[in-house]
């Protein structure tokens, strides 16, 4: 199958990237600056915050301040996670124009991450979807553990397809498939997509791959060949889920952009500015980007700041 001619890149660094940072909380002003730098790089979809319980994820406790503090750019969507109605109401008050609910293909992970079964989570998402629909806010859906679970091991593709279908039929405009612990390999990834596309149109599916085993770029190429045209990635390869032991960073935006440039697929995003942003944010966090492309190009080419 021909590769897609254009790709929508959904940037995860401010949310997935920073939700797992250990130690001192990242200052709100740093989060806001990160989001603004990402928008300046030409990124049009940014997951900026998470309206979850601050007892569960203290790193995201300033979601409302972050959302209110951003200098918004025309044409950029700043979205946030909302696991329930309480989260949605908080997000709406803070002026969020797109939200996301997040379920899982694994029962054990669903319990650990959102404290309920898969069926209960879907029932909880229904009122979120209808309230969001009432106020004209689009809802994205996530399915976690699509290629393996830290508690249950292998996950059958049909389980992913079932949850993706439920989210899509409930009204999620797009369903993002999360390899939460980054264990997938290209053939397993293709099989998972083949099962899921039977239930949800391929153009409504996004790939959200963590890079724990270094397979994320290979897996992305496999799903591009299947026609997936939405990719989630985090600048500097930040990321991880606090409830998925061993989950390391998301695939790095820098590496994805380099792959896409090599394939002749335009994103409108400036790779050099993203590299600079990756060096800038990791300097705030006291380390280096894990993006291979950023390391190869080095900090000599980074933008000032
Ligand atoms: P719960 O304890 O079952 O909820 O948590 P509850 O309804 O019983 O409420 C308990 C307390 O939490 C109450 O406060 C509520 O008000 C409060 P208290 O009376 O004890 O003071 N509460 C909230 N506070 C703020 N915002 C809210 C909210 N909801 C309840 N929205 C809950 C259920 C879902 C809230 C909890 O389990 C939670 O917050 N989980 C979040 C877990 C999380 O954020 N995980 C990481 C994101 S998912 C991810 O990273 C995967 C992804 O990247 C894809 C992939 O890689 O696979 C998306
Ligand atoms: Mg994730």
């Amino acid at each position: 199958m021909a590769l897609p001619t254009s790709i929508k890149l959904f940037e995860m660094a401010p949310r997935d990237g920073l939700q797992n940072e250990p130690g001192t909380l990242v200052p709100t002003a740093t989060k806001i600056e990160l989001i603004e730098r990402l928008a300046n790089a030409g990124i049009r979809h940014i997951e900026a915050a998470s309206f979850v319980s601050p007892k569960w994820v203290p790193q995201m406790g300033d979601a409302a301040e972050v959302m209110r503090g951003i200098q918004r750019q025309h044409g950029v969507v700043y979205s946030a996670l909302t696991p329930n109605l309480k989260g949605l109401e908080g997000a709406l008050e803070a002026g969020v124009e797109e939200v996301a609910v997040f379920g899982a293909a694994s029962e054990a992970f669903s319990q650990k991450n959102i404290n309920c079964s898969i069926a209960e989570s879907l029932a909880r998402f229904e009122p979120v979807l209808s309230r969001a629909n009432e106020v004209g806010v689009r809802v994205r859906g996530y399915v976690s553990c699509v290629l393996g679970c830290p508690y249950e091991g292998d996950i059958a593709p049909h389980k992913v397809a079932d949850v993706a279908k439920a989210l899509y039929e409930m009204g999620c405009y797009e369903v993002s498939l999360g390899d939460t612990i980054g264990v997938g390999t290209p053939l397993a990834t293709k099989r998972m997509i083949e099962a899921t596309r039977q239930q949800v149109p391929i153009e409504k599916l996004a790939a959200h791959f963590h890079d724990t085993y270094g397979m994320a770029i290979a897996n992305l190429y496999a799903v591009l060949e299947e026609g997936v045209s939405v990719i989630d990635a985090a600048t500097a390869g930040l990321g991880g889920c606090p409830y998925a032991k061993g989950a390391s960073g998301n695939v790095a935006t820098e590496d994805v952009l380099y792959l896409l440039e090599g394939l002749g697929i335009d994103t409108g995003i400036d790779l050099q500015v993203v590299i600079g942003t990756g060096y800038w944010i990791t300097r705030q966090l006291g380390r280096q980007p894990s993006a291979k492309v950023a390391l190869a190009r080095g900090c000599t080419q980074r933008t000032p700041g």
Side-chain angles (χ1 to χ4, degrees), residues 15-16 208 210 250:
R15 194 279 303 170
D16 200 329
H208 178 108
H210 287 256
N250 288 76

Side-chain angles (χ1 to χ4, degrees), residues 38-62:
L38 293 166
N40 288 340
I43 297 176
R44 302 289 87 166
H45 297 85
I46 304 176
E47 200 164 79
S50 185
F51 288 80
V52 294
S53 161
K55 286 186 193 144
W56 284 63
V57 186
Q59 290 92 333
M60 294 284 110
D62 57 353

Side-chain angles (χ1 to χ4, degrees), residues 12 15-16 19 142 144 178-180 208 210 240-241 250:
M12 293 287 138
R15 194 279 303 170
D16 200 329
Q19 73 180 8
Y142 282 98
S144 282
D179 182 8
T180 316
H208 178 108
H210 287 256
C241 174
N250 288 76

